[in-house]
Amino acid sequence: MDWGTDLWDQNDVIDKHTQSGLDLLERYIKFVKERTEIEQNYAKQLRNLTKKYSKRGGKDEQECKFSNHASFQEILNELGDYAGQREVVAENMTANICDKLTKYLQDLKQERKTHLSDVKKAQQNLESSFKHLENIKKRFAKEWAEADKATQQAEKTEHDSNATKVEVDKAKAHALARTRVAEECRNNYAAELQKYNKEQNYFYYTEIPQIYNKLQVMDERRIQQLAEGYCLFSHIEKDVLPIISKCLEGIAAAGTKIDHKKDSKLLIEQHKSGFDRPTDVEFEDYSQGIKPSNSESTLHPLKGRKHKIFKKHKITHGEKHTSPPAEDFSHLPPEQRKKKLQAKIDDITKELTKEQDSGEALEKMRGVYEQNPQMGDPSSLEPQITQTSQNIGRLRGELAKYETWLSEAVGGEDASHNTTNNNSQSGIIATRNSSSNVYAEFDDEFDDIESPVGQCTALYTFAGNSEGTISITEGELLSVMEEDKGDGWMRVLRASGQEGYIPTSYVKLTP
């Protein structure tokens, strides 16, 4: 699985993940340095150090799902059992771990900076091409309108009995000239549109995937180097401290069990949106009488996103704005919902197989009892056989129900592939609003007096046309009242006092 293929639209996720990896590497270097400074102290100081660098839940707990993060946590746990003198290992740790990883960390920072700069440059180039196309499109509309006007004037002059032949010829010549200019603008617009679609296709299918794959290779190399650093941490200790070899072997195991491919796969499974890449922009032929459309809705490949919609529901005092997970997992994104449904089907299938085997065994036992009454009473098995049959019927019903939901999830995703990117936001909101009651309804006014949990800045303008949402403008500073619960939305408060929900991807959290 590749970042460029599966995370093509998750630039912020890749940015944060790679930075988190570098932060982990830097934290590990600082950890070893500080440990060498306290090697002369007793076990108490060593335990304080491990406590200082331990994970403390929240975001850190989420990061611990990655094997390289979890391994570092296991190392800290092992260090809690260390006690005794640690002076001998200080020099070797400084030379073989700290100095080596510090130099490697600087190289990784520069490489990451270069790749992210390439992403930004590619986005700016596509935006520049889009603006250029927009200008050509407007000129085409203007020139065609002027040509149409000149043609009408020529016809009017020709039918004017007071007009001279010279005036008529002049009007016709002017109309012909304007028509030729309009035709040239039309051809130019068509050529530029084809060029822009080609650039956009290259951006989403070649350029960006290549850069993200380079970032993936870089991150996996970092994980491997970090794993080697973990193992080296153990080997240095083993040379001088054989009496604690069991603890050191545990640290080595924490380093060797790191799976960089598994970490990359986990990142993809957590954040893969399942959305399609934008489709080509359609040509608008103004020569056929089509009125110019709003460029914001017809050509906007970079900011279009699909979002969920909330329904209106009044919140009473003491009631938290949370809804229980839906039985059909429709509160989850498409990819995650399919995985949950498939896992549920597998569990039910295993349980059903177990019940069926049990039922067959009971039937065989009843047959044996009927042929050999001295071995037991066949009627004594009837309650168990009846209960097993009821269990099988119930499990079959549940299996059919979840298979139906899975079929709907797969079918719904296929249907969404037929929609265009230009209407992605309005289309997905309408579909989810009519087919799902997962999200709790809420009122525009919130009765509870709450304190903001953070601040964020709007990256894009959001219209907020749906009930329960609010509009925001690019660059606006907002107060976060409720963080993203995993559905892609967060509740914010504007400076004007207006409160409501906005897409999480439209803002950037302020440290």
Side-chain angles (χ1 to χ4, degrees), residues 289 435 483:
S435 63
E483 296 180 340

mmCIF file of all heavy atoms in Angstrom, residues 289 435 483:
data_model
loop_
_atom_site.group_PDB
_atom_site.id
_atom_site.type_symbol
_atom_site.label_atom_id
_atom_site.label_comp_id
_atom_site.label_asym_id
_atom_site.label_seq_id
_atom_site.Cartn_x
_atom_site.Cartn_y
_atom_site.Cartn_z
ATOM 1 N N GLY A 289 -24.858 29.858 -26.894
ATOM 2 C CA GLY A 289 -25.840 30.591 -26.107
ATOM 3 C C GLY A 289 -25.830 30.271 -24.632
ATOM 4 O O GLY A 289 -26.719 30.662 -23.900
ATOM 5 N N SER A 435 -30.338 9.367 3.684
ATOM 6 C CA SER A 435 -30.177 7.940 3.910
ATOM 7 C C SER A 435 -29.667 7.588 5.282
ATOM 8 O O SER A 435 -29.637 6.424 5.626
ATOM 9 C CB SER A 435 -29.205 7.373 2.874
ATOM 10 O OG SER A 435 -27.948 7.969 3.043
ATOM 11 N N GLU A 483 -14.317 19.133 19.849
ATOM 12 C CA GLU A 483 -13.363 18.581 18.891
ATOM 13 C C GLU A 483 -14.021 17.542 17.984
ATOM 14 O O GLU A 483 -15.126 17.070 18.249
ATOM 15 C CB GLU A 483 -12.183 17.949 19.638
ATOM 16 C CG GLU A 483 -11.358 18.959 20.434
ATOM 17 C CD GLU A 483 -10.201 18.287 21.164
ATOM 18 O OE1 GLU A 483 -10.276 17.062 21.359
ATOM 19 O OE2 GLU A 483 -9.264 19.001 21.535
#
